[in-house]
Amino acid sequence: MADGEGDPGVFTATALPGDPRLLPTVTNALLGTRVFRDILHAAGVYSGAAGDTHRADVPSPLGLRMAAPGAAQSFALDTWTGTFSHTIQCPGYTATQQLYAHHSLVHLMASSVTIRRLDGSTHPITVQLQSLFVPQSQDLQLSSGPDFQGAHYIYGQTLVPEVEGGPRPTVHMLWTPIPQWLTLGGEERERCWQFLTAVAGSEEEAKRSYSAGLSLAAAGSLLRSHIHAWAALRRGSSVELDGPPALRQALHGCLYYLLSALPPRDSPGVPFHGISPGGLSNGTRGEDYWGHVFWDQDTWMFPNILLLHPGAARAILHYRIRTLEGAKRNAREQGYEGAKFPWESAATGREVCPEEIYGEQEIHISGDVLMAFEQYYCTTQDLKLFQEDGGWELVEAVAQYWCSRMVWSEEEQLYHIRGVMPPDEYHSQVDNSAYTNAVARRSLNFAAVLARDLLLPAPEEWEDRARKIKVPFDEERKYHPEYDGYSPGEPVKQADVVLLGFPLMHPMSAEVRRNDLEMYEPVTDPVGPAMTWSMFAVGWLELKEPQRAWSQLEKCFSNITEPFKVWVENADGSGAVNFLTGMGGFLQVILFGFTGFRITRSALLFDPAFPDSVTKLKLSSISYLGNRLEVTITSEEIRMAVTEASWDPPASPLEVVLESGQRFPLWEGQSVSFPTAPGWIQRSPSSTP
């Protein structure tokens, strides 16, 4: 879609990108594929041991495509309905193929082809289907089973377990046979053919999902049921702004791809398997980090998900809890206590990074995981996660790890963490990475606070070490060196020290915050990972320099490919595609930068700042302490309303407090407005209207 034309949430084209990696993805929490691709992936299904662990390629019958010799073609990704379509227009008829990953029947993907006669002719109309599907896989030992309700059936296990002696996931797949030709009879005006693919870990679930899909298709409501489920997801995360068309399109694209990765609200019993940088559709051997889960999930994607869908945020935390035993073993093998989360994680929590240096040195990941738990706790006060579901055990284990990883410096009278790789991966084996040590400090403080809240004993050393850990600071230049011995001007790969300001909220003055931004902005690799410039943008918005922020945010657009707004990791096109990490950073500019939202232990702070090109921002469903808030911000006015308050557990009544001292109670169904100014949302001291 050209800038400024049509619906910003529908991306159309008359030709496909030359690089098939840039085709759009259709994904739900359990299944994903790129359009016209002959493989799909199922969540949690990995093959290969340790550093060779990768998403297992499942053969996909859904890669079919209508042949269109000489016909006019168009393609569309509709982010409102969660569907991709391909239309061919010929004299006398049109044929349209639609593809989607069903968002309530999450073990089901579907494709349909509709041929529609446009004139009064009575001759048969035939469309050829092209398919590369072969029921074989390089990662699965597959066998054929008996047909079921007209569907073919294969099943099998992955070839190699992630850890020796570990389980090999099983895949069961049913699919509608794909004919070579579809023919609309001479007496027919229109006909739709449905092609279903069900993939699950058991024969029973695959058959149940396929049968349910057939029933909905027979009733003419298969697509409608998907659109209904997807629309509910979109409504629960509606973010609208008045601004440049390219910004609005980028926003819709980011929401589409990130929301596609989330677990459905009505499937709490289905375990969630985390979000990798390239999403579920990517991650075969040798591409997109092989489908592994990094800090990208916890630091870059999670904060957006938390504000919009706390239930999905909880599922992400459960993924980390499920892999805690693997993280504990990682720590033991390196000679430390507690839990060291892997730099690259798959199904077990063991380190699966193909290159040893990252798994050994990029240890900030454990603090990144814990920061997500802290943000969730502050935003939801969900005690059950910590008291009953294993959350406390994880927090305690990470705190133990940090204590065992530190050493005391007699010379400086501070704790050091030595021999690490910071987020800036151009440097390794450094001492006292500012980011690593600051996130460790935050981990220990949170563990101590949570222990008090849960009335649990906690070692005094947690807070003592948090106070005494070294975070490098140059008193003369008033900035944070990236690590001990960093020289100003040394090239940096990506956002690193700037993350101290946000999301870490490490204590510092506005002068130091500015100095950090100005020190690192010119030396950060211009073709580094896409999420980097988002954090510079948030920093400048915080300092009320929105035009400098906009100049940073604009750099992200070179990572967004046309026509389907698929992000690439690096501006030169290299790295992961469908780069959800970059999208997560971009969304944080809008959800945390434009709004000034900051999650603290006692309140949700706000302090809006817009670039000149943005005039209005409306967030329809921000979650805080069991309440759903609608927030509308312009440069002149902020309007807030609680649109829904949970009953079980009961939501905390809220109030808005401005820095000027004014207070506004937030009662469900009533809106309040006030001139745009900084303030915060907190629990109301009164629980009755």
Side-chain angles (χ1 to χ4, degrees):
M1 185 185 87
D3 282 1
E5 295 178 8
D7 187 330
V10 180
F11 310 139
T12 60
T14 55
L16 296 173
D19 184 348
R21 300 180 313 141
L22 305 181
L23 290 170
T25 59
V26 287
T27 309
N28 60 31
L30 296 184
L31 301 174
T33 190
R34 286 204 302 260
V35 302
F36 303 135
R37 197 180 193 189
D38 61 351
I39 60 168
L40 59 83
H41 294 129
V45 180
Y46 292 92
S47 185
D52 188 47
T53 299
H54 57 277
R55 292 202 191 280
D57 289 350
V58 180
S60 173
L62 295 164
L64 63 93
R65 181 172 174 178
M66 299 182 297
Q73 298 187 75
S74 61
F75 307 89
L77 178 67
D78 189 332
T79 72
W80 302 113
T81 61
T83 59
F84 175 80
S85 61
H86 172 209
T87 299
I88 58 175
Q89 194 137 11
C90 297
Y93 73 93
T94 61
T96 299
Q97 177 192 358
Q98 285 192 299
L99 176 66
Y100 52 97
H102 206 286
H103 267 260
S104 58
L105 296 172
V106 289
H107 292 284
L108 193 73
M109 301 186 81
S111 183
S112 66
V113 177
T114 302
I115 303 177
R116 180 178 297 113
R117 194 183 299 272
L118 300 178
D119 56 21
S121 65
T122 57
H123 58 79
I125 297 171
T126 297
V127 172
Q128 182 184 3
L129 298 183
Q130 299 171 329
S131 173
L132 299 173
F133 172 66
V134 179
Q136 299 169 359
S137 168
Q138 62 180 0
D139 300 315
L140 298 160
Q141 190 171 350
L142 293 170
S143 303
S144 297
D147 285 2
F148 172 77
Q149 295 184 352
H152 293 335
Y153 171 45
I154 55 175
Y155 62 94
Q157 285 183 295
T158 56
L159 296 177
V160 181
E162 182 180 327
V163 295
E164 189 174 350
R168 292 186 294 139
T170 302
V171 170
H172 296 260
M173 185 170 85
L174 293 157
W175 75 96
T176 311
I178 309 292
Q180 193 171 355
W181 306 90
L182 297 177
T183 300
L184 184 71
E187 73 289 351
E188 294 179 298
R189 305 296 304 166
E190 181 177 322
R191 185 174 173 188
C192 178
W193 291 262
Q194 302 273 3
F195 302 99
L196 310 184
T197 298
V199 181
S202 70
E203 179 180 0
E204 178 186 18
E205 182 56 56
K207 288 181 173 178
R208 188 194 70 78
S209 297
Y210 192 84
S211 293
L214 278 185
S215 297
L216 288 169
S221 57
L222 180 63
L223 175 60
R224 188 163 64 246
S225 63
H226 158 71
I227 291 175
H228 179 77
W230 175 256
L233 185 64
R234 279 299 306 255
R235 272 196 311 275
S237 55
S238 176
V239 181
E240 304 168 60
L241 57 79
D242 292 349
L247 179 63
R248 296 169 65 211
Q249 291 170 29
L251 170 61
H252 287 294
C254 290
L255 286 170
Y256 167 76
Y257 291 113
L258 190 58
L259 293 176
S260 295
L262 301 190
R265 288 181 173 180
D266 53 358
S267 299
V270 179
F272 188 60
H273 298 278
I275 309 176
S276 58
L280 184 52
S281 300
N282 299 310
T284 192
R285 179 191 267 121
E287 74 168 22
D288 300 303
Y289 301 110
W290 299 12
H292 299 164
V293 177
F294 293 71
W295 75 315
D296 304 48
Q297 168 190 264
D298 311 88
T299 300
W300 298 97
M301 305 177 209
F302 181 87
N304 306 299
I305 296 166
L306 175 60
L307 285 190
L308 299 174
H309 283 285
R314 193 180 208 275
I316 289 172
L317 301 184
H318 267 285
Y319 164 73
R320 291 300 191 181
I321 292 170
R322 274 203 329 278
T323 59
L324 176 59
E325 287 309 310
K328 288 181 175 179
R329 188 162 173 186
N330 296 335
R332 285 198 303 273
E333 288 184 354
Q334 290 191 3
Y336 301 110
E337 298 173 17
K340 179 201 170 297
F341 279 91
W343 179 239
E344 300 188 26
S345 179
T348 67
R350 300 303 309 282
E351 183 61 68
V352 293
C353 181
E355 297 176 74
E356 195 172 294
I357 187 172
Y358 299 99
E360 283 193 355
Q361 293 190 29
E362 205 148 358
I363 63 172
H364 63 80
I365 176 65
S366 295
D368 304 327
V369 168
L370 212 58
M371 187 160 62
F373 276 81
E374 181 180 1
Q375 290 170 335
Y376 178 81
Y377 179 66
C378 293
T379 306
T380 67
Q381 290 295 298
D382 176 4
L383 294 175
K384 180 178 181 295
L385 179 81
F386 296 92
Q387 292 176 322
E388 301 175 28
D389 296 350
W392 166 250
E393 287 77 8
L394 184 147
V395 172
E396 180 182 41
V398 171
Q400 291 168 342
Y401 170 73
W402 284 126
C403 288
S404 72
R405 188 62 177 77
M406 296 176 187
V407 294
W408 178 250
S409 166
E410 285 292 342
E411 181 184 352
E412 294 196 80
Q413 292 291 294
L414 294 170
Y415 284 100
H416 287 192
I417 299 179
R418 297 172 180 159
V420 305
M421 179 182 285
D424 164 25
E425 293 171 331
Y426 289 170
H427 296 94
S428 61
Q429 200 62 36
V430 304
D431 296 341
N432 296 316
S433 149
Y435 178 83
T436 304
N437 289 20
V439 84
R441 173 186 176 184
R442 184 161 172 163
S443 296
L444 291 168
N445 280 328
F446 171 54
V449 166
L450 183 64
R452 281 196 290 273
D453 287 356
L454 299 180
L455 305 179
L456 295 171
E460 290 182 8
E461 69 168 349
W462 288 357
E463 287 182 305
D464 180 62
R465 292 186 179 223
R467 279 192 302 271
K468 296 175 182 175
I469 189 170
K470 179 181 182 179
V471 177
F473 184 70
D474 185 324
E475 290 286 355
E476 185 180 333
R477 293 186 177 91
K478 301 291 184 192
Y479 89 108
H480 292 95
E482 189 182 287
Y483 52 83
D484 282 356
Y486 175 83
S487 298
E490 281 190 53
V492 169
K493 178 184 177 183
Q494 62 189 68
D496 187 311
V497 169
V498 296
L499 302 176
L500 266 62
F502 178 85
L504 286 189
M505 295 186 287
H506 187 76
M508 70 181 81
S509 67
E511 177 193 11
V512 172
R513 180 75 159 122
R514 173 183 297 276
N515 290 344
D516 283 349
L517 291 166
E518 293 189 331
M519 179 66 73
Y520 292 103
E521 185 180 312
V523 300
T524 300
D525 191 336
V527 294
M531 66 281 193
T532 286
W533 308 115
S534 301
M535 290 302 104
F536 281 97
V538 171
W540 289 120
L541 288 165
E542 193 177 291
L543 294 174
K544 296 295 178 279
E545 294 207 28
Q547 292 316 114
R548 288 190 77 164
W550 179 251
S551 71
Q552 297 302 312
L553 188 61
E554 275 190 311
K555 295 179 183 179
C556 295
F557 288 97
S558 59
N559 296 76
I560 305 174
T561 66
E562 297 299 338
F564 301 114
K565 316 303 175 191
V566 173
W567 283 57
V568 291
E569 180 176 4
N570 303 312
D572 62 4
S574 63
V577 296
N578 190 40
F579 191 50
L580 297 175
T581 315
M583 301 185 209
F586 187 88
L587 286 173
Q588 287 193 58
V589 176
I590 295 168
L591 289 178
F592 293 88
F594 289 176
T595 62
F597 281 156
R598 297 292 184 271
I599 297 166
T600 72
R601 288 175 191 154
S602 59
L604 179 63
L605 312 183
F606 58 86
D607 188 6
F610 291 169
D612 292 344
S613 56
V614 175
T615 56
K616 181 180 176 182
L617 176 63
K618 182 179 180 182
L619 310 172
S620 296
S621 195
I622 295 296
S623 286
Y624 187 60
L625 299 181
N627 298 274
R628 287 271 174 186
L629 290 159
E630 182 177 281
V631 180
T632 306
I633 305 171
T634 68
S635 57
E636 293 81 29
E637 181 185 72
I638 300 176
R639 182 176 295 272
M640 294 187 184
V642 173
T643 57
E644 184 183 337
S646 70
W647 288 93
D648 186 22
S652 300
L654 301 178
E655 66 173 359
V656 174
V657 183
L658 300 184
E659 282 189 357
S660 64
Q662 286 181 283
R663 293 173 179 265
F664 303 89
L666 287 169
W667 305 121
E668 187 175 1
Q670 299 177 19
S671 68
V672 300
S673 59
F674 44 88
T676 298
W680 58 91
I681 304 165
Q682 65 179 23
R683 275 197 187 87
S684 172
S686 166
S687 59
T688 55

